[in-house]
Coordinates of all heavy atoms in Angstrom, one line a residue:
M1 N 0.9 -1.2 0.0 CA 0.0 0.0 0.0 C 0.9 1.2 0.0 O 1.9 1.3 0.8 CB -0.9 0.0 1.2 CG -2.0 1.0 1.3 SD -3.1 0.8 2.6 CE -4.2 -0.5 2.0
D2 N 0.6 2.2 -0.9 CA 1.4 3.4 -0.9 C 1.3 4.3 0.3 O 0.3 4.2 1.0 CB 1.2 4.1 -2.2 CG -0.2 4.8 -2.4 OD1 -0.6 5.3 -1.3 OD2 -0.7 4.8 -3.5
K3 N 2.3 5.2 0.4 CA 2.3 6.0 1.6 C 1.1 6.9 1.8 O 0.6 7.1 2.9 CB 3.6 6.9 1.6 CG 4.8 6.2 2.0 CD 5.9 7.2 2.2 CE 7.1 6.5 2.8 NZ 7.4 6.9 4.1
E4 N 0.6 7.4 0.7 CA -0.6 8.3 0.8 C -1.8 7.5 1.3 O -2.6 8.0 2.2 CB -0.9 8.9 -0.6 CG -2.0 9.9 -0.6 CD -2.3 10.5 -2.0 OE1 -1.3 10.7 -2.7 OE2 -3.5 10.8 -2.2
K5 N -2.1 6.3 0.8 CA -3.2 5.5 1.2 C -3.0 5.1 2.7 O -4.0 5.1 3.5 CB -3.4 4.3 0.3 CG -3.9 4.6 -1.0 CD -4.2 3.4 -1.8 CE -4.6 3.8 -3.2 NZ -4.8 2.6 -4.1
T6 N -1.8 4.7 3.0 CA -1.5 4.3 4.4 C -1.7 5.5 5.4 O -2.3 5.3 6.4 CB 0.0 3.8 4.5 OG1 0.2 2.7 3.6 CG2 0.3 3.4 5.9
E7 N -1.3 6.7 5.0 CA -1.5 7.8 5.8 C -3.0 8.2 6.0 O -3.5 8.5 7.1 CB -0.8 9.1 5.3 CG -0.7 10.2 6.3 CD -0.1 9.8 7.7 OE1 0.9 9.0 7.7 OE2 -0.6 10.3 8.7
K8 N -3.8 8.0 4.9 CA -5.2 8.2 5.0 C -5.9 7.2 5.9 O -6.8 7.5 6.7 CB -5.9 8.1 3.6 CG -5.7 9.3 2.8 CD -6.3 9.2 1.4 CE -6.0 10.4 0.6 NZ -6.7 10.3 -0.7
M9 N -5.4 5.9 5.9 CA -5.9 4.9 6.8 C -5.5 5.2 8.2 O -6.4 5.0 9.1 CB -5.4 3.5 6.4 CG -6.0 2.9 5.2 SD -7.8 2.9 5.2 CE -8.1 1.8 6.6
R10 N -4.3 5.7 8.5 CA -3.9 6.1 9.8 C -4.9 7.2 10.4 O -5.3 7.1 11.5 CB -2.5 6.6 9.8 CG -2.0 7.1 11.2 CD -0.7 7.8 11.2 NE 0.3 7.3 10.4 CZ 1.2 6.3 10.8 NH1 1.2 5.9 12.0 NH2 2.1 5.9 10.0
E11 N -5.2 8.2 9.5 CA -6.0 9.3 9.9 C -7.5 8.7 10.2 O -8.1 9.1 11.2 CB -6.1 10.3 8.9 CG -4.8 11.1 8.7 CD -4.8 12.0 7.5 OE1 -5.8 12.2 6.9 OE2 -3.7 12.6 7.2
L12 N -7.9 7.8 9.4 CA -9.3 7.2 9.6 C -9.3 6.4 10.9 O -10.2 6.5 11.7 CB -9.6 6.4 8.4 CG -11.0 5.6 8.5 CD1 -12.1 6.6 8.6 CD2 -11.1 4.7 7.3
L13 N -8.3 5.6 11.1 CA -8.2 4.8 12.3 C -8.1 5.7 13.6 O -8.8 5.4 14.6 CB -7.0 3.9 12.3 CG -7.1 2.7 11.2 CD1 -5.8 2.1 11.0 CD2 -8.2 1.7 11.7
M14 N -7.3 6.7 13.5 CA -7.2 7.7 14.7 C -8.6 8.4 14.9 O -8.9 8.6 16.1 CB -6.1 8.7 14.5 CG -4.7 8.1 14.5 SD -4.4 7.2 16.1 CE -4.5 8.6 17.3
A15 N -9.3 8.7 13.9 CA -10.6 9.3 14.0 C -11.6 8.4 14.7 O -12.4 8.8 15.6 CB -11.1 9.8 12.7
Q16 N -11.5 7.1 14.3 CA -12.4 6.1 14.9 C -12.0 5.9 16.4 O -12.9 5.8 17.2 CB -12.3 4.8 14.1 CG -12.9 4.8 12.8 CD -12.7 3.5 12.0 OE1 -12.1 2.6 12.5 NE2 -13.3 3.5 10.8
K17 N -10.8 5.9 16.7 CA -10.3 5.7 18.0 C -10.8 6.9 18.9 O -11.3 6.8 20.0 CB -8.8 5.6 18.1 CG -8.2 5.2 19.4 CD -6.7 5.0 19.3 CE -6.2 4.5 20.7 NZ -4.8 4.1 20.6
R18 N -10.6 8.1 18.3 CA -11.1 9.3 19.0 C -12.6 9.3 19.3 O -13.0 9.7 20.3 CB -10.7 10.6 18.2 CG -11.2 11.9 18.7 CD -10.8 12.3 20.0 NE -9.5 12.9 20.0 CZ -8.9 13.3 21.1 NH1 -9.5 13.2 22.3 NH2 -7.7 13.8 21.0
E19 N -13.3 8.8 18.3 CA -14.8 8.7 18.5 C -15.2 7.8 19.6 O -16.0 8.1 20.5 CB -15.4 8.2 17.2 CG -16.9 8.0 17.2 CD -17.4 7.4 15.9 OE1 -17.0 7.8 14.8 OE2 -18.3 6.5 16.0
I20 N -14.5 6.7 19.7 CA -14.8 5.7 20.9 C -14.4 6.4 22.2 O -15.1 6.3 23.1 CB -14.0 4.4 20.7 CG1 -14.5 3.7 19.4 CG2 -14.1 3.6 21.9 CD1 -13.7 2.5 19.0
W21 N -13.2 7.1 22.2 CA -12.8 7.8 23.4 C -13.8 8.9 23.8 O -14.1 9.0 25.0 CB -11.4 8.4 23.2 CG -10.3 7.4 23.4 CD1 -9.9 6.4 22.6 CD2 -9.4 7.3 24.5 NE1 -8.9 5.7 23.1 CE2 -8.5 6.2 24.2 CE3 -9.2 8.0 25.6 CZ2 -7.5 5.9 25.1 CZ3 -8.2 7.7 26.5 CH2 -7.4 6.6 26.2
D22 N -14.2 9.6 22.8 CA -15.2 10.7 23.1 C -16.4 10.2 23.7 O -17.0 10.8 24.7 CB -15.5 11.5 21.8 CG -14.3 12.4 21.4 OD1 -13.4 12.6 22.1 OD2 -14.4 12.8 20.2
V23 N -17.0 9.1 23.2 CA -18.2 8.5 23.8 C -17.9 8.0 25.3 O -18.6 8.3 26.2 CB -18.7 7.3 23.0 CG1 -19.7 6.5 23.7 CG2 -19.2 7.8 21.6
L24 N -16.7 7.4 25.4 CA -16.3 7.0 26.8 C -16.2 8.1 27.7 O -16.7 8.1 28.9 CB -15.0 6.2 26.7 CG -14.5 5.6 28.0 CD1 -15.5 4.7 28.6 CD2 -13.1 5.0 27.7
V25 N -15.5 9.2 27.3 CA -15.3 10.3 28.2 C -16.7 11.0 28.5 O -16.9 11.4 29.6 CB -14.4 11.4 27.5 CG1 -14.4 12.7 28.2 CG2 -13.0 10.8 27.5
S26 N -17.6 11.0 27.6 CA -18.8 11.7 27.8 C -19.8 10.9 28.7 O -20.7 11.4 29.3 CB -19.5 12.0 26.5 OG -20.0 10.9 25.8
T27 N -19.5 9.6 28.8 CA -20.5 8.7 29.6 C -19.9 8.2 30.9 O -20.6 7.6 31.6 CB -20.9 7.5 28.7 OG1 -19.8 6.8 28.3 CG2 -21.7 8.0 27.5
N28 N -18.6 8.4 31.1 CA -18.0 7.9 32.3 C -17.2 8.9 33.1 O -16.1 9.3 32.6 CB -17.1 6.7 31.9 CG -16.6 6.0 33.1 OD1 -15.8 6.5 33.9 ND2 -17.0 4.7 33.3
A29 N -17.6 9.4 34.2 CA -17.0 10.4 35.0 C -15.6 10.1 35.4 O -14.7 10.9 35.3 CB -17.8 10.8 36.2
D30 N -15.3 8.9 35.9 CA -14.0 8.5 36.3 C -13.0 8.5 35.2 O -11.9 9.0 35.3 CB -14.0 7.0 36.9 CG -14.7 6.9 38.2 OD1 -14.8 8.0 38.9 OD2 -15.1 5.8 38.5
F31 N -13.4 8.0 34.0 CA -12.5 8.0 32.9 C -12.3 9.5 32.4 O -11.2 9.8 32.0 CB -13.1 7.2 31.7 CG -12.1 6.9 30.7 CD1 -11.1 5.9 30.9 CD2 -12.1 7.6 29.5 CE1 -10.2 5.6 29.9 CE2 -11.2 7.3 28.5 CZ -10.2 6.3 28.7
R32 N -13.3 10.3 32.4 CA -13.2 11.7 32.0 C -12.2 12.4 32.9 O -11.3 13.1 32.3 CB -14.6 12.4 32.1 CG -14.5 13.8 31.7 CD -15.9 14.5 31.7 NE -16.8 14.1 32.7 CZ -17.9 13.4 32.5 NH1 -18.2 13.0 31.3 NH2 -18.7 13.1 33.5
A33 N -12.2 12.2 34.2 CA -11.2 12.8 35.1 C -9.8 12.4 34.7 O -8.9 13.2 34.7 CB -11.5 12.4 36.5
I34 N -9.6 11.1 34.4 CA -8.2 10.7 34.0 C -7.8 11.3 32.7 O -6.7 11.8 32.6 CB -8.2 9.1 33.8 CG1 -8.4 8.5 35.2 CG2 -6.9 8.7 33.2 CD1 -8.6 7.0 35.1
V35 N -8.7 11.3 31.7 CA -8.3 11.9 30.4 C -8.0 13.4 30.5 O -7.1 13.9 29.8 CB -9.4 11.6 29.3 CG1 -9.2 12.4 28.1 CG2 -9.5 10.1 29.1
E36 N -8.8 14.1 31.3 CA -8.6 15.6 31.5 C -7.2 15.9 32.0 O -6.7 17.0 31.8 CB -9.7 16.2 32.3 CG -11.0 16.2 31.6 CD -12.2 16.7 32.4 OE1 -12.0 16.8 33.7 OE2 -13.3 16.9 31.9
E37 N -6.7 15.0 32.8 CA -5.3 15.2 33.4 C -4.2 14.9 32.5 O -3.1 15.2 32.7 CB -5.2 14.3 34.7 CG -6.1 14.8 35.8 CD -6.1 13.8 37.0 OE1 -5.2 12.9 37.0 OE2 -7.0 14.0 37.9
M38 N -4.5 14.2 31.3 CA -3.5 13.8 30.4 C -3.0 14.9 29.5 O -3.7 15.8 29.2 CB -4.0 12.7 29.5 CG -4.2 11.4 30.1 SD -5.1 10.2 29.0 CE -4.3 10.5 27.4
D39 N -1.7 14.8 29.1 CA -1.2 15.7 28.1 C -1.8 15.3 26.8 O -1.8 14.1 26.4 CB 0.4 15.5 28.1 CG 1.0 16.5 27.1 OD1 0.4 17.0 26.2 OD2 2.2 16.7 27.3
P40 N -2.3 16.2 26.0 CA -2.9 15.8 24.7 C -2.0 15.0 23.8 O -2.4 14.2 23.0 CB -3.3 17.2 24.1 CG -3.4 18.1 25.2 CD -2.4 17.6 26.2
K41 N -0.7 15.3 23.9 CA 0.3 14.5 23.1 C 0.3 13.1 23.4 O 0.7 12.3 22.6 CB 1.7 15.1 23.2 CG 1.8 16.5 22.6 CD 3.2 17.0 22.7 CE 3.3 17.8 24.0 NZ 4.6 18.4 24.2
D42 N -0.1 12.7 24.6 CA -0.1 11.3 25.0 C -1.3 10.5 24.6 O -1.3 9.3 24.7 CB 0.0 11.2 26.6 CG 1.3 11.8 27.1 OD1 2.3 11.8 26.3 OD2 1.4 12.2 28.3
F43 N -2.3 11.2 24.0 CA -3.5 10.5 23.7 C -3.3 9.2 22.8 O -3.9 8.2 23.1 CB -4.5 11.4 23.0 CG -5.7 10.7 22.4 CD1 -6.7 10.3 23.3 CD2 -5.8 10.4 21.1 CE1 -7.8 9.7 22.8 CE2 -6.9 9.7 20.6 CZ -7.9 9.4 21.5
A44 N -2.5 9.3 21.8 CA -2.4 8.2 20.9 C -1.6 7.1 21.5 O -1.7 5.9 21.0 CB -1.7 8.7 19.6
D45 N -0.8 7.3 22.5 CA 0.0 6.3 23.1 C -0.4 5.9 24.5 O 0.5 5.4 25.3 CB 1.5 6.8 23.1 CG 2.0 7.1 21.7 OD1 1.6 6.3 20.8 OD2 2.7 8.1 21.5
V46 N -1.6 6.0 24.9 CA -2.0 5.7 26.2 C -1.8 4.2 26.5 O -2.3 3.4 25.8 CB -3.5 6.1 26.4 CG1 -4.0 5.6 27.8 CG2 -3.7 7.5 26.3
A47 N -1.1 3.9 27.6 CA -0.8 2.6 27.9 C -0.9 2.3 29.4 O -0.5 1.3 29.9 CB 0.6 2.2 27.4
S48 N -1.4 3.3 30.2 CA -1.5 3.2 31.6 C -2.4 2.1 32.0 O -3.5 2.0 31.5 CB -2.0 4.5 32.2 OG -2.4 4.4 33.5
D49 N -2.0 1.3 33.0 CA -2.8 0.2 33.5 C -4.1 0.7 34.1 O -5.2 0.1 33.9 CB -2.1 -0.6 34.5 CG -1.0 -1.5 33.9 OD1 -1.0 -1.7 32.7 OD2 -0.1 -1.8 34.7
D50 N -4.0 1.8 34.8 CA -5.2 2.4 35.4 C -6.2 2.8 34.3 O -7.4 2.6 34.5 CB -4.9 3.6 36.3 CG -6.0 4.1 37.1 OD1 -6.8 3.3 37.6 OD2 -6.2 5.4 37.1
I51 N -5.8 3.5 33.3 CA -6.6 3.9 32.2 C -7.2 2.7 31.5 O -8.4 2.6 31.2 CB -5.9 4.8 31.2 CG1 -5.7 6.2 31.9 CG2 -6.7 5.0 30.0 CD1 -4.9 7.1 31.1
D52 N -6.3 1.7 31.2 CA -6.8 0.5 30.6 C -7.9 -0.2 31.4 O -8.9 -0.6 30.9 CB -5.7 -0.5 30.3 CG -4.7 -0.1 29.3 OD1 -5.1 0.8 28.5 OD2 -3.6 -0.6 29.2
R53 N -7.7 -0.3 32.7 CA -8.7 -1.0 33.6 C -10.0 -0.2 33.6 O -11.1 -0.8 33.4 CB -8.1 -1.1 35.0 CG -9.0 -1.8 35.9 CD -8.4 -2.0 37.3 NE -7.9 -0.7 37.9 CZ -8.6 0.3 38.4 NH1 -9.9 0.2 38.4 NH2 -8.0 1.3 38.9
K54 N -9.9 1.1 33.7 CA -11.1 2.0 33.7 C -11.9 1.9 32.4 O -13.1 1.8 32.3 CB -10.8 3.4 34.0 CG -10.2 3.6 35.4 CD -11.3 4.2 36.3 CE -10.6 4.6 37.6 NZ -11.4 4.1 38.7
M55 N -11.1 1.8 31.3 CA -11.7 1.8 30.0 C -12.4 0.4 29.8 O -13.5 0.4 29.3 CB -10.6 1.9 28.9 CG -11.1 1.9 27.5 SD -9.9 2.4 26.3 CE -8.7 1.1 26.5
I56 N -11.8 -0.7 30.2 CA -12.5 -2.0 30.1 C -13.7 -2.0 30.9 O -14.7 -2.6 30.5 CB -11.5 -3.1 30.5 CG1 -10.4 -3.2 29.4 CG2 -12.2 -4.4 30.7 CD1 -9.2 -4.1 29.8
E57 N -13.7 -1.4 32.1 CA -14.9 -1.4 32.9 C -16.0 -0.6 32.2 O -17.2 -0.9 32.4 CB -14.6 -0.7 34.3 CG -13.7 -1.6 35.1 CD -13.3 -0.8 36.4 OE1 -13.6 0.3 36.6 OE2 -12.5 -1.4 37.2
A58 N -15.7 0.5 31.5 CA -16.7 1.4 31.0 C -17.2 1.0 29.6 O -18.3 1.4 29.2 CB -16.1 2.8 30.9
L59 N -16.3 0.4 28.8 CA -16.7 0.1 27.4 C -17.4 -1.3 27.3 O -17.2 -2.2 28.1 CB -15.4 0.0 26.6 CG -14.7 1.2 26.2 CD1 -13.5 0.9 25.4 CD2 -15.6 2.1 25.3
G60 N -18.2 -1.4 26.3 CA -18.8 -2.6 26.0 C -17.8 -3.5 25.2 O -16.8 -3.0 24.7
S61 N -18.1 -4.8 25.1 CA -17.2 -5.7 24.4 C -17.0 -5.4 23.0 O -15.9 -5.5 22.4 CB -17.7 -7.1 24.6 OG -18.9 -7.3 23.9
Q62 N -18.0 -4.8 22.3 CA -17.8 -4.4 20.9 C -16.8 -3.3 20.7 O -16.0 -3.3 19.8 CB -19.1 -4.0 20.3 CG -20.0 -5.2 19.9 CD -19.4 -6.1 18.9 OE1 -18.9 -7.2 19.2 NE2 -19.3 -5.7 17.6
D63 N -16.9 -2.3 21.6 CA -16.0 -1.2 21.5 C -14.5 -1.6 21.9 O -13.6 -1.2 21.3 CB -16.4 0.0 22.4 CG -17.6 0.7 21.9 OD1 -17.7 0.8 20.6 OD2 -18.4 1.3 22.6
I64 N -14.4 -2.6 22.9 CA -13.1 -3.1 23.2 C -12.5 -3.8 22.0 O -11.3 -3.6 21.7 CB -13.2 -4.0 24.4 CG1 -13.5 -3.2 25.7 CG2 -11.9 -4.8 24.6 CD1 -13.9 -4.1 26.9
K65 N -13.3 -4.6 21.3 CA -12.8 -5.3 20.1 C -12.4 -4.3 19.1 O -11.4 -4.5 18.4 CB -13.9 -6.2 19.6 CG -14.1 -7.5 20.4 CD -15.2 -8.3 19.9 CE -15.5 -9.5 20.8 NZ -16.6 -10.3 20.3
R66 N -13.2 -3.3 18.9 CA -12.9 -2.2 17.9 C -11.6 -1.5 18.2 O -10.7 -1.3 17.3 CB -14.0 -1.2 17.8 CG -15.2 -1.6 16.9 CD -16.2 -0.5 16.8 NE -15.7 0.7 16.2 CZ -16.2 1.9 16.3 NH1 -17.2 2.1 17.1 NH2 -15.6 2.9 15.7
L67 N -11.4 -1.1 19.5 CA -10.2 -0.5 19.9 C -8.9 -1.4 19.7 O -7.9 -0.9 19.3 CB -10.2 0.0 21.4 CG -11.0 1.3 21.6 CD1 -11.1 1.6 23.1 CD2 -10.3 2.4 20.9
R68 N -9.1 -2.6 20.0 CA -7.9 -3.6 19.9 C -7.6 -3.7 18.4 O -6.4 -3.8 18.0 CB -8.3 -4.9 20.5 CG -8.2 -4.9 22.0 CD -8.5 -6.2 22.6 NE -8.4 -6.1 24.1 CZ -9.0 -7.0 24.9 NH1 -9.7 -8.0 24.4 NH2 -8.9 -6.8 26.2
A69 N -8.6 -3.8 17.5 CA -8.4 -3.9 16.1 C -7.7 -2.7 15.5 O -6.8 -2.7 14.7 CB -9.7 -4.2 15.4
I70 N -8.2 -1.5 16.0 CA -7.6 -0.2 15.6 C -6.2 -0.1 16.0 O -5.3 0.2 15.2 CB -8.5 1.0 16.1 CG1 -9.8 1.0 15.4 CG2 -7.7 2.3 16.0 CD1 -10.8 2.0 16.1
D71 N -5.9 -0.5 17.3 CA -4.5 -0.4 17.8 C -3.6 -1.4 17.0 O -2.5 -1.1 16.7 CB -4.5 -0.7 19.3 CG -5.0 0.5 20.1 OD1 -4.9 1.6 19.6 OD2 -5.4 0.3 21.2
A72 N -4.1 -2.6 16.7 CA -3.4 -3.6 15.9 C -3.0 -3.0 14.5 O -1.9 -3.1 14.1 CB -4.1 -4.9 15.8
A73 N -4.0 -2.4 13.9 CA -3.8 -1.8 12.6 C -2.8 -0.7 12.6 O -1.9 -0.6 11.8 CB -5.2 -1.4 12.0
L74 N -2.9 0.2 13.6 CA -2.0 1.3 13.8 C -0.6 0.7 14.0 O 0.4 1.3 13.5 CB -2.4 2.2 14.9 CG -3.6 3.1 14.6 CD1 -4.1 3.7 15.9 CD2 -3.4 4.1 13.6
G75 N -0.5 -0.3 14.8 CA 0.8 -1.0 15.0 C 1.4 -1.5 13.7 O 2.6 -1.3 13.4
R76 N 0.6 -2.1 12.9 CA 1.1 -2.6 11.6 C 1.5 -1.4 10.7 O 2.5 -1.5 9.9 CB 0.0 -3.5 10.9 CG -0.1 -4.8 11.6 CD -0.9 -5.8 10.8 NE -2.3 -5.4 10.5 CZ -3.3 -5.4 11.4 NH1 -3.1 -6.0 12.6 NH2 -4.5 -5.0 11.0
I77 N 0.8 -0.3 10.7 CA 1.2 0.8 9.9 C 2.5 1.3 10.4 O 3.4 1.6 9.6 CB 0.1 2.0 10.1 CG1 -1.2 1.6 9.3 CG2 0.7 3.3 9.6 CD1 -2.3 2.6 9.5
N78 N 2.7 1.4 11.7 CA 4.0 1.9 12.3 C 5.2 1.0 11.9 O 6.3 1.4 11.8 CB 3.9 2.1 13.8 CG 3.0 3.2 14.2 OD1 2.8 4.1 13.4 ND2 2.5 3.1 15.4
M79 N 4.9 -0.3 11.7 CA 5.9 -1.3 11.4 C 6.1 -1.4 9.9 O 7.0 -2.2 9.4 CB 5.6 -2.6 12.0 CG 5.7 -2.7 13.5 SD 5.4 -4.3 14.3 CE 4.0 -4.9 13.4
G80 N 5.3 -0.7 9.1 CA 5.4 -0.9 7.7 C 4.8 -2.2 7.2 O 5.1 -2.6 6.1
R81 N 3.9 -2.8 7.9 CA 3.3 -4.1 7.5 C 1.8 -3.9 7.2 O 1.1 -4.9 7.0 CB 3.4 -5.1 8.7 CG 4.9 -5.3 9.1 CD 5.7 -6.2 8.2 NE 5.0 -7.5 8.1 CZ 5.2 -8.3 7.1 NH1 6.0 -7.9 6.1 NH2 4.6 -9.4 7.0
Y82 N 1.2 -2.7 7.2 CA -0.2 -2.6 6.9 C -0.4 -2.9 5.5 O 0.3 -2.5 4.6 CB -0.6 -1.1 7.2 CG -2.1 -0.9 7.1 CD1 -2.9 -1.3 8.2 CD2 -2.7 -0.5 6.0 CE1 -4.3 -1.2 8.2 CE2 -4.1 -0.3 5.9 CZ -4.9 -0.7 7.0 OH -6.2 -0.5 7.0
G83 N -1.5 -3.7 5.2 CA -1.9 -4.1 3.9 C -1.3 -5.4 3.5 O -1.4 -5.9 2.4
I84 N -0.6 -6.1 4.5 CA 0.0 -7.4 4.3 C -0.7 -8.4 5.3 O -0.8 -8.1 6.5 CB 1.5 -7.4 4.5 CG1 2.1 -6.4 3.5 CG2 2.1 -8.8 4.4 CD1 3.6 -6.1 3.8
C85 N -1.2 -9.5 4.8 CA -1.9 -10.5 5.6 C -0.9 -11.0 6.7 O 0.2 -11.4 6.4 CB -2.4 -11.6 4.7 SG -3.2 -12.9 5.7
V86 N -1.4 -11.0 7.9 CA -0.6 -11.5 9.0 C -0.4 -13.0 8.9 O 0.7 -13.5 9.3 CB -1.4 -11.1 10.4 CG1 -0.6 -11.7 11.6 CG2 -1.5 -9.7 10.5
K87 N -1.3 -13.7 8.4 CA -1.2 -15.2 8.3 C -0.4 -15.7 7.2 O 0.5 -16.5 7.4 CB -2.6 -15.8 8.3 CG -3.4 -15.7 9.6 CD -4.7 -16.3 9.5 CE -5.5 -16.1 10.8 NZ -6.8 -16.7 10.8
C88 N -0.7 -15.2 6.0 CA 0.0 -15.7 4.8 C 1.1 -14.8 4.2 O 1.8 -15.2 3.3 CB -1.0 -16.1 3.7 SG -1.8 -14.6 2.9
N89 N 1.2 -13.6 4.8 CA 2.2 -12.6 4.3 C 2.1 -12.1 2.9 O 3.0 -11.7 2.3 CB 3.6 -13.2 4.6 CG 4.6 -12.2 4.9 OD1 4.3 -11.1 5.5 ND2 5.9 -12.4 4.6
K90 N 0.8 -12.3 2.4 CA 0.6 -11.8 1.0 C -0.1 -10.4 1.1 O -0.7 -10.1 2.1 CB -0.4 -12.7 0.3 CG 0.3 -14.1 -0.1 CD -0.7 -14.9 -0.9 CE -0.1 -16.2 -1.2 NZ -1.0 -17.1 -1.9
K91 N 0.1 -9.6 0.0 CA -0.5 -8.3 0.0 C -2.0 -8.4 -0.1 O -2.5 -9.2 -0.8 CB 0.1 -7.5 -1.2 CG -0.4 -6.1 -1.3 CD 0.2 -5.4 -2.5 CE -0.3 -3.9 -2.4 NZ -0.4 -3.2 -3.6
I92 N -2.6 -7.5 0.7 CA -4.1 -7.4 0.7 C -4.5 -6.4 -0.3 O -4.0 -5.2 -0.2 CB -4.6 -7.1 2.1 CG1 -4.2 -8.1 3.1 CG2 -6.1 -6.9 2.1 CD1 -4.5 -7.7 4.6
P93 N -5.4 -6.7 -1.3 CA -5.8 -5.7 -2.2 C -6.5 -4.5 -1.6 O -7.1 -4.7 -0.6 CB -6.8 -6.5 -3.1 CG -6.6 -7.9 -2.8 CD -6.0 -8.0 -1.4
D94 N -6.3 -3.4 -2.2 CA -6.9 -2.1 -1.7 C -8.4 -2.3 -1.7 O -9.1 -1.9 -0.8 CB -6.6 -0.9 -2.6 CG -5.1 -0.5 -2.5 OD1 -4.4 -1.0 -1.6 OD2 -4.7 0.2 -3.4

């Protein structure tokens, strides 16, 4: 996948992640308090156990699956492996 398409996918994935976070922040006071204390630059790389625990408590299973899939895709983008099948290592058509 070329850089332009990959960057568009990164932006789309980050927007979807932000949407899930926004819903979580708007519906859960404990989580909102944690996020409000965060540096905005840290948003994309949140890995705190406390935040993860609170998020799991507040999110439904579908949103958790979506966040995990989004994070996995973002990880593949960062490693230059996005668009390549994890199982067979073949290119995935656009």
Side-chain angles (χ1 to χ4, degrees):
M1 188 172 281
D2 68 37
K3 282 192 174 245
E4 185 178 328
K5 287 182 183 177
T6 302
E7 194 54 39
K8 285 182 182 179
M9 286 306 300
R10 179 191 315 271
E11 291 171 9
L12 176 64
L13 290 164
M14 289 302 297
Q16 289 177 357
K17 188 173 182 175
R18 171 62 81 180
E19 179 183 317
I20 293 169
W21 279 73
D22 287 347
V23 169
L24 180 60
V25 168
S26 70
T27 59
N28 186 294
D30 290 338
F31 195 77
R32 180 175 36 249
I34 292 170
V35 171
E36 287 173 352
E37 294 174 9
M38 287 173 43
D39 183 339
K41 291 182 265 182
D42 295 336
F43 171 76
D45 299 320
V46 172
S48 165
D49 289 338
D50 188 42
I51 290 176
D52 289 344
R53 185 177 49 77
K54 294 260 189 226
M55 184 170 59
I56 288 169
E57 291 171 1
L59 283 175
S61 63
Q62 282 300 105
D63 286 331
I64 291 171
K65 288 178 186 177
R66 279 183 63 205
L67 278 175
R68 286 183 179 154
I70 290 168
D71 285 338
L74 289 169
R76 288 191 301 279
I77 287 173
N78 291 337
M79 294 184 313
R81 304 283 301 157
Y82 189 81
I84 300 171
C85 179
V86 176
K87 292 182 182 179
C88 69
N89 212 30
K90 291 183 181 178
K91 184 177 183 207
I92 299 170
D94 292 346

